[in-house]
Amino acid sequence: MDAHSRGRADEIDAADQWVLNLQTGNYELRLNHSGTESSGTSRTPDPYDSDNTLREVPGQRNRRPARSGHTQEQPPVPAGRRKRTPPKARRKKALLWTGGVMAFVIVAGSAGAYALYQKFNGNLDTVDVGDAGSKSVAAEGPLNILIIGTDKRTGSGNEGYGDKGSTGHADTNILFHVSADRTNATAMSIPRDLMTDIPECTTKQPDGSEKVVPGSRNVRFNVSLGQEGRDPGCTMRTVKKITGLSVDHFMMVDFNAVKELSTAVGGVKVCLAEAVKDPDSHLDLPAGESTVEGEQALAFVRTRHSFGNQSDLDRIKVQQQFIGSMIRQMKSDDTLTSPGKLFGLADAATKALTVDSGIGSIKKLTSLAQELGRIDTRNITFVTLPVIDNPAEPTPVTVVVEPRKSEQLFAMMRSDTSLTEVKQKETAARSTQEAVLKGAKADPADIRVDVLNGGSIAGAADATVTWLQAEQGVPEATNKANAPAKADTTTLAYAPDQADQARALAAIMGLPATALKQGAADAEGIQAMVLTLGADFKGAGVPVTGPAEAPEDIQKASADKAECAK
């Protein structure tokens, strides 16, 4: 089967459609089935004529518009239809996906809305990324979605943009991490000019064949897509290599998405500290607030010469401000209560999107929307991956990861700690750890521990044992090689009579209280404790902390606050 496909016909009901009820002035879902099901079950005849106006249903009194001074009687609900929920009682849920320079919205609510969006299945492009992502919409646990904006020149009027003749690069990239409880999200931008290693990846080509693309060392992040036959799965694997976070799904868009979606939503409000007239991007806006759509919206998110020091990092800030404004506009009553805007927005969004097969249908995207639609804009934080100028270049034009701050940010995301609540979790973790670790500690020479490697660092158990013995005075540490299975977090299993040893080793290793796992029975004889190193272990002598502290002085912004680009 072709790795790229358009929709899924088995999930489309071509008879589903919205029609205007002339008596109520509301849009209602028409299910135009035949009078008898294939099973022989009788159905109530459809009350709509061919011109989509209500007609009389046999056996029922036809409802007429009420005369002045009388209460209008509501039309009957035909069999097989759910009663329409009054607008004030309808749950308004909106999910916005930001594609670097675009945003995608699906409104999940009534059964009618669900059926309507099924019609957009045919708009979607899908890519099979194999084991790079998840095959289903996760209902539990944290969720990581990679948003990719490409510079591929597709669509009318885009001939002058991007890299001519290119298959497209990973030009704008946002890792959207959603908490397990679905209350908050961190959207981390990854600079396209980041120098990194791209791992080997297996891709499915348009003709259905598989191609193994060799890895590359010390190259720009943006070549993780499109170049040498790489697909979004290669970009997902590259993100995992950098951050340690597995990416569940991807969403990819091109230049057209910004123009079409900003127009469909009725324009996006932006603010400039000073007037801008950029001959390269053709952005021409006055100081203060403006509403942009179409070409001006694309110019706003593409300009590199109008703000800050004219770098890609400053452009990322502007894009984040645009996306935050788009979120607020899409979740506003002005959008959610307009059937015309919702239809146009959903149509434009699904045409603009390419997604992985795990979410490659409107049914699955709607399930995703229901999972994530509860996130308040106050709890969506935009950040940029901490980087520094590339020291290998005399005049730096690329960047590299800033190790200390980036690792703090990655650890925070891996421990599912949002920037909006990190302080509360830090306080709670410290209180818990102090209570658990309070008490007498054994002498290091009395600690007996078996060390197993359940993480991704080769030789971690041996290196840790050597460090404990040579530098920490723990002679009875033993290397037990690899753990039976991979572990996400580091744990220390001990018996009740080994509590003092556990507290001492936790202090030496920098283990959080949550890593200590006390068993039910005392240890027999000289049985050792069991230390299993997990994915959160970064090396001998590097503390394994609990909920990470937020890195200081990183660029961040909240989706609920409007800011003026400078």
Side-chain angles (χ1 to χ4, degrees), residues 464-548:
T464 299
V465 167
T466 299
W467 176 76
L468 287 171
Q469 292 176 342
E471 299 185 35
Q472 302 301 316
V474 183
E476 299 298 324
T478 306
N479 177 14
K480 292 295 183 178
N482 292 331
K486 291 292 184 181
D488 292 331
T489 58
T490 298
T491 59
L492 175 62
Y494 66 99
D497 62 351
Q498 295 172 320
D500 54 348
Q501 292 186 48
R503 285 190 287 267
L505 186 60
I508 292 171
M509 295 286 298
L511 298 177
T514 53
L516 276 60
K517 309 295 181 183
Q518 179 178 303
D522 286 337
E524 297 180 2
I526 57 174
Q527 181 177 337
M529 300 184 293
V530 177
L531 174 66
T532 303
L533 307 177
D536 57 352
F537 179 76
K538 297 305 174 185
V542 180
V544 180
T545 61

Side-chain angles (χ1 to χ4, degrees), residues 404-430 433 512 514 536 538 543-552 554:
R404 184 181 63 82
K405 292 181 180 179
S406 63
E407 182 51 44
Q408 280 184 288
L409 182 58
F410 299 157
M412 184 197 71
M413 296 170 74
R414 288 193 296 262
S415 65
D416 201 23
T417 304
S418 167
L419 281 169
T420 61
E421 58 183 20
V422 64
K423 292 300 180 183
Q424 297 93 306
K425 287 197 173 184
E426 286 173 11
T427 301
R430 280 196 297 270
Q433 186 159 0
T514 53
D536 57 352
K538 297 305 174 185
V544 180
T545 61
E549 294 183 358
E552 297 178 356
I554 62 170

